[in-house]
Amino acid sequence: MDSARRRLAELNSEIKAQDELYHNAATALGLSDCAFWILYSLQCAQADVTQSELCAELYQPKQTVNSAIKKLESDGNLALTTGADRRSRLLRLTEKGAAFAAQTVDKVLSAEQEALGGMTGAEQERMLALLHKYTGLLKQAMHKHIS
């Protein structure tokens, strides 16, 4: 295997390993992957978010996000209100949801902060810059080869 394919296989393996870490965390916390990421996003945003914004941020289909939202809402963790344009729905954590997120999502945020803290500031900046660059280049190449 040439070095470019080997590096690509290694990169994809690391991405899949991270996906598995988050999936296992969500499962251990009693959440579906989508519900976990909804709570995570709302906990990080600490503000109302539209359902459309959430779908775009999570890179998930509206139907998947909507199903998870309905479950979180029926459990009393989310409140939905009508947005300014009356077509958008704003989501926010309820008091119960904020407490639930603090007991679940905050554990993952703490683990992430600890892991990132194991890197120097320069390493963090370099990693993010390279990830941004790779994602942009991959998006262009995908568009060129698949569209």
Side-chain angles (χ1 to χ4, degrees), residues 14-47:
E14 289 298 317
I15 291 168
K16 290 174 187 169
Q18 286 183 13
D19 286 345
E20 183 178 19
L21 287 170
Y22 286 105
H23 169 75
N24 290 344
T27 300
L29 297 169
L31 295 163
S32 69
D33 289 357
C34 192
F36 167 79
W37 286 112
I38 289 168
L39 290 172
Y40 184 101
S41 295
L42 291 172
Q43 188 73 339
C44 289
Q46 296 184 341

Side-chain angles (χ1 to χ4, degrees), residues 27-137:
T27 300
L29 297 169
L31 295 163
S32 69
D33 289 357
C34 192
F36 167 79
W37 286 112
I38 289 168
L39 290 172
Y40 184 101
S41 295
L42 291 172
Q43 188 73 339
C44 289
Q46 296 184 341
D48 293 353
V49 177
T50 68
Q51 191 169 346
S52 296
E53 290 169 337
L54 203 52
C55 288
E57 181 181 331
L58 299 179
Y59 295 95
Q60 291 290 317
K62 287 181 183 179
Q63 184 175 353
T64 302
V65 173
N66 193 49
S67 294
I69 286 171
K70 285 183 179 183
K71 172 79 169 100
L72 289 166
E73 183 182 27
S74 71
D75 291 345
N77 293 309
L78 281 184
L80 289 103
T81 58
T82 303
D85 69 3
R86 294 185 178 256
R87 290 181 312 198
S88 63
R89 295 178 358 162
L90 294 173
L91 294 95
R92 67 171 174 77
L93 293 172
T94 61
E95 190 174 315
K96 178 183 177 185
F100 183 60
Q103 295 170 349
T104 56
V105 170
D106 283 0
K107 292 178 180 181
V108 173
L109 285 164
S110 292
E112 290 174 325
Q113 290 168 351
E114 182 179 326
L116 201 57
M119 302 168 78
T120 66
E123 288 171 330
Q124 293 172 20
E125 291 296 324
R126 195 165 52 248
M127 176 187 69
L128 289 171
L130 290 171
L131 279 171
H132 288 304
K133 181 176 182 175
Y134 177 74
T135 301
L137 291 169

